[in-house]
């Protein structure tokens, strides 16, 4: 089924950093559903930019690596200024996120009174995260809940869908992994209407080698408590 014409009011925003081996396929696959994709290349040193262009994305470039939060902010600012843009999805470049999940989340924004839908790995049993990673992510959730009042089961999931109100509201200033906490805080501060959606995150050997590691979890925690 071709959803692409139905979703011409939607923009996928994909931060990109050294994912040349997979990004073309990720974008080409997503474009069968979401024709509008903006990749923000965050100072890649490989062929990520040409691969993303070959996949069919618009590519914006940070000449130096500023971090994923900065890439998302650049992408959101670009996408929200496009004619007819109404819905936005933050989506990973490494193949972990499922287009079907993104589509379901956008559909909920169309049908239900929410400003933002946040993906969660923990609402069903599909995602196989390691025990330590689960522990760290649950600790992060507890911290977010106490510090922001926003009740999520998975605060550090990069798959999110939101409307134009949210796109105009978000101001991501934390450049590294702490941007996820910042987004949660802004949901609370601006009283955005939010819900969660069960999503399936696929951890491949490739994605694990790219920093889905224990160190990533440690960094998340350190940034939560030191910011």
């Amino acid at each position: 089924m071709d959803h692409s014409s139905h979703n011409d009011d939607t923009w996928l925003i994909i931060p990109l950093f050294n994912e040349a081996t997979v990004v073309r396929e990720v974008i080409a696959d997503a474009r069968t559903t979401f024709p509008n994709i903006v990749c923000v290349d965050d100072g890649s040193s490989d062929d990520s930019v040409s691969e993303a262009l070959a996949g069919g994305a618009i590519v914006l470039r940070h000449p130096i690596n500023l971090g994923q939060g900065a890439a998302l902010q650049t992408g959101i600012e670009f996408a929200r200024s496009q004619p007819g843009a109404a819905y936005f999805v933050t989506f990973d470049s490494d193949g972990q996120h499922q287009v079907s999940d993104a589509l379901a989340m956008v559909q909920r924004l169309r049908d239900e009174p929410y400003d933002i839908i946040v993906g969660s790995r923990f609402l069903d049993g599909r995602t196989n995260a390691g025990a330590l990673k689960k522990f760290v992510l649950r600790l992060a959730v507890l911290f977010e809940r106490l510090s922001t009042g926003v009740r999520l089961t998975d605060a550090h999931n990069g798959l999110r869908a939101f409307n134009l109100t949210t796109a105009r509201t978000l101001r991501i200033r934390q450049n590294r992994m702490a941007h996820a906490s910042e987004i949660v805080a802004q949901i609370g501060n601006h009283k955005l209407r939010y819900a969660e959606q069960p999503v399936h995150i696929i951890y491949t050997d490739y994605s694990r080698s790219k920093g889905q590691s224990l160190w990533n979890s440690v960094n998340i925690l350190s940034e939560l408590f030191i910011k």
Side-chain angles (χ1 to χ4, degrees):
M1 180 179 174
D2 181 17
H3 295 281
S4 57
S5 58
H6 180 54
N7 290 301
D8 55 10
D9 60 353
T10 303
W11 280 85
L12 252 57
I13 298 158
I14 303 183
L16 178 59
F17 180 65
N18 290 347
E19 303 282 5
T21 56
V22 293
V23 68
R24 184 196 298 208
E25 187 181 349
V26 168
I27 290 168
D29 178 54
R31 283 195 74 230
T32 63
T33 302
F34 297 104
N36 301 317
I37 297 178
V38 57
C39 270
V40 182
D41 180 69
D42 195 33
S44 291
S45 57
D46 64 3
D47 293 331
S48 285
V49 170
S50 57
E51 288 295 309
L53 289 167
I58 292 170
V59 180
L60 309 177
R61 300 184 72 169
H62 289 169
I64 57 170
N65 180 258
L66 297 175
Q68 194 174 22
L72 285 173
Q73 185 65 31
T74 296
I76 291 167
E77 288 174 9
F78 172 84
R80 74 186 182 203
S81 69
Q82 300 309 300
Y87 302 101
F88 309 85
V89 178
T90 60
F91 199 83
D92 280 359
S93 56
D94 61 4
Q96 288 194 151
H97 292 164
Q98 309 309 301
V99 174
S100 56
D101 285 335
L103 184 63
M105 292 161 81
V106 171
Q107 194 59 48
R108 286 189 68 187
L109 292 174
R110 296 183 192 282
D111 297 340
E112 300 174 45
Y114 294 117
D115 297 308
I116 182 166
I117 307 288
V118 182
S120 173
R121 287 164 280 199
F122 305 122
L123 290 177
D124 65 18
R126 288 180 297 169
T127 299
N128 181 25
L132 191 60
K133 189 175 185 71
K134 280 185 178 170
F135 171 75
V136 169
L137 289 167
R138 288 185 195 282
L139 204 58
V141 159
L142 186 62
F143 182 86
E144 302 293 348
R145 198 171 284 190
L146 292 172
S147 60
T148 67
V150 176
R151 301 179 66 85
L152 297 174
T153 60
D154 187 3
H156 280 262
N157 196 316
L159 185 55
R160 313 171 191 87
F162 45 92
N163 63 11
L164 192 55
T165 301
T166 305
R168 288 172 172 157
T169 299
L170 291 178
R171 294 285 183 277
I172 304 170
R173 296 188 179 90
Q174 298 274 353
N175 286 346
R176 304 288 160 185
M177 296 307 289
H179 71 271
S181 313
E182 192 177 26
I183 291 170
V184 174
Q186 291 183 30
I187 291 171
N189 292 342
H190 296 286
K191 298 188 167 40
L192 298 172
R193 300 164 301 170
Y194 67 93
E196 288 191 295
Q197 176 86 6
V199 299
H200 184 195
I201 306 298
I202 297 176
Y203 296 110
T204 60
D205 290 341
Y206 172 78
S207 69
R208 285 196 172 97
S209 74
K210 292 286 294 186
Q212 293 301 328
S213 64
L214 174 59
W215 281 115
N216 208 18
S217 303
V218 171
N219 288 338
I220 286 172
L221 285 185
S222 66
E223 289 191 344
L224 281 176
F225 293 108
I226 294 166
K227 67 173 185 244

